[in-house]
């Protein structure tokens, strides 16, 4: 049996990017029960990619009850629907076999990974205060993507003078804005910039100087999307809601390494259930941006553990 349930998690505070704000994480939880054993997974339908809770639910409910993980890869396209089902099938396989997912996948035993903490888009004053609150964290990711970002960036650096800073423009800049900002990004010690230009309008990245690493997010989905990114991007951000699950994420990770891309593993704003499979992918990542649960007011039972060492792999009680 395949069951789909919409669930809502309140955020600890409003989360804003260049495309808008949210106060709650709206997710779909998929449970697959066979032989009295249930595996589960979570996805976050994303309007940017033409998804809604209703459309993704319909995709999942269209699947045959006995769908296999291999058949799933062609039954659904990359995206949120395939992600939740794929991860639920991995969890089901692990519980049925009495083993961990990483063992079934032939991966090394996972350990904790230092996590990037995201500061949402706000006024410079608010972002300075938030940066100061989280200045103890080793890596901060700053949501930007407006024509007036320099005061925000300066404010964050003042609030967290020692933190490693990553910038996510969420497609919000033009080539002119990025070119103008780039020297200041270097001056302020920014380590990378993520998706500065809109996907589909990013050809200029192959022509303008890239004085610091540029990471593809909205331009990157699965392994098939990688060749077109060569020459424009230095890194790729893999999110399971884009690759369509752990199966394709692992394949995309390996292909990205083969093509010479650096790797970030990211997430939508979701619960620990959504992060747990991604922690396995992130074991070889340069940047681990799996802070979704840290942004929630309340997480699921048996949540992932976050401490000074980063995010720890899930316990079997949660997933895998």
């Amino acid at each position: 049996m395949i069951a789909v349930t919409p669930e809502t998690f309140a955020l600890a505070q409003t989360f804003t990017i260049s495309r808008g704000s949210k106060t709650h994480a709206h997710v779909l939880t998929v449970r697959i029960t066979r032989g009295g054993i249930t595996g589960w997974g979570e996805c976050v339908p994303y309007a940017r990619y033409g998804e809604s809770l209703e459309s993704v639910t319909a995709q999942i409910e269209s699947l045959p009850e006995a769908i296999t993980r291999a058949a799933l890869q062609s039954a659904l396209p990359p995206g949120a629907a395939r992600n939740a089902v794929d991860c639920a099938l991995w969890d089901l396989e692990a519980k049925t076999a009495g083993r961990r997912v990483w063992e079934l996948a032939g991966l090394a035993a996972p350990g904790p990974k230092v996590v990037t903490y995201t500061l949402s888009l706000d006024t410079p004053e608010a972002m300075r205060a938030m940066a100061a609150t989280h200045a103890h964290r080793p890596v901060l990711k700053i949501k930007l993507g407006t024509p007036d970002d320099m005061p925000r960036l300066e404010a964050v650096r003042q609030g967290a003078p020692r933190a490693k800073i990553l910038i996510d423009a969420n497609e919000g800049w033009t080539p002119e804005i990025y070119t103008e900002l780039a020297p200041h990004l270097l001056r302020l010690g920014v380590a990378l910039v993520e998706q500065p230009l809109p996907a589909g309008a990013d050809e200029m990245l192959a022509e303008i100087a890239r004085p610091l690493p540029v990471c593809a997010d909205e331009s990157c989905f699965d392994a098939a999307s990688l060749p077109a990114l060569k020459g424009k991007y230095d890194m790729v951000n893999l999110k399971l809601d884009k690759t369509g699950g752990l199966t394709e994420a692992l394949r995309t990770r390996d292909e990205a390494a083969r093509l010479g891309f650096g790797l970030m593993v990211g997430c939508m704003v979701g619960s620990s259930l959504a992060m747990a499979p991604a922690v396995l992918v992130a074991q070889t990542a340069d940047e681990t941006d799996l802070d979704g649960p840290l942004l929630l007011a309340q997480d699921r039972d048996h949540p992932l553990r976050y401490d000074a060492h980063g995010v720890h792999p899930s316990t079997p009680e949660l997933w895998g």
Side-chain angles (χ1 to χ4, degrees):
M1 181 182 73
I2 303 176
V4 190
T5 308
E7 296 190 70
T8 299
F9 294 87
L11 304 189
Q13 60 189 37
T14 301
F15 186 77
T16 302
I17 66 173
S18 60
R19 280 191 292 270
S21 300
K22 61 166 61 181
T23 58
H24 293 77
H26 298 284
V27 312
L28 290 175
T29 304
V30 170
R31 292 175 174 83
I32 302 178
T33 302
R34 295 173 186 170
I37 298 174
T38 298
W40 68 338
E42 176 185 311
C43 68
V44 181
Y46 206 55
R48 167 64 180 79
Y49 305 125
E51 299 174 333
S52 67
L53 292 170
E54 295 75 19
S55 71
V56 171
T57 296
Q59 283 182 291
I60 295 168
E61 291 179 341
S62 74
L63 295 170
E65 292 288 337
I67 189 80
T68 64
R69 198 161 45 77
L72 176 67
Q73 307 310 310
S74 57
L76 290 178
R82 196 175 78 188
N83 175 35
V85 177
D86 184 76
C87 292
L89 288 171
W90 274 108
D91 188 40
L92 179 65
E93 290 174 41
K95 289 174 176 173
T96 301
R99 303 174 69 193
R100 299 306 306 274
V101 164
W102 57 266
E103 296 177 283
L104 298 179
L107 304 173
K113 289 286 292 184
V114 171
V115 168
T116 297
Y117 184 84
T118 303
L119 305 183
S120 72
L121 185 67
D122 209 323
T123 64
E125 295 73 23
M127 293 184 76
R128 180 189 295 111
M130 188 60 65
T133 299
H134 295 281
H136 64 283
R137 299 183 185 275
V139 188
L140 296 178
K141 183 178 188 179
I142 316 304
K143 290 291 188 179
L144 297 177
T146 77
D148 306 307
D149 280 336
M150 267 310 301
R152 293 184 173 95
L153 181 55
E154 297 271 11
V156 168
R157 178 48 86 197
Q158 290 166 12
R162 288 179 294 278
K164 180 179 182 179
I165 290 182
L166 318 181
I167 285 178
D168 186 358
N170 281 116
E171 307 180 277
W173 290 340
T174 64
E176 293 75 22
I177 291 174
Y178 174 60
T179 301
E180 181 180 336
L181 286 177
H184 299 288
L185 304 183
L186 289 171
R187 173 176 60 83
L188 292 168
V190 172
L192 70 84
V193 58
E194 187 178 345
Q195 200 68 44
L197 308 181
D202 56 2
E203 292 300 326
M204 281 294 293
L205 290 175
E207 303 173 24
I208 62 178
R210 298 200 307 274
L212 72 166
V214 180
C215 180
D217 182 2
E218 286 86 352
S219 293
C220 173
F221 287 87
D222 56 1
S225 70
L226 296 179
L229 306 181
K230 288 291 289 181
K232 296 188 292 186
Y233 294 94
D234 309 289
M235 299 180 66
V236 293
N237 185 352
L238 301 190
K239 297 176 180 174
L240 271 65
D241 275 317
K242 293 190 302 174
T243 65
L246 176 62
T247 301
E248 178 62 22
L250 291 172
R251 194 169 80 89
T252 307
R253 179 189 73 173
D254 294 344
E255 182 65 6
R258 188 185 74 79
L259 292 173
F261 288 109
L263 181 66
M264 174 188 289
V265 174
C267 63
M268 307 305 183
V269 182
S271 80
S272 282
L273 178 59
M275 306 302 127
V279 171
L280 301 184
V281 185
Q283 293 299 301
T284 60
D286 302 289
E287 304 291 348
T288 299
D289 186 19
L290 299 178
D291 62 346
L294 298 178
L295 306 177
L296 302 180
Q298 186 172 358
D299 200 355
R300 295 186 185 270
D301 293 337
H302 312 292
L304 293 178
R305 178 161 60 97
Y306 290 82
D307 60 21
H309 300 287
V311 58
H312 291 255
S314 64
T315 62
E317 290 81 7
L318 175 67
W319 182 87

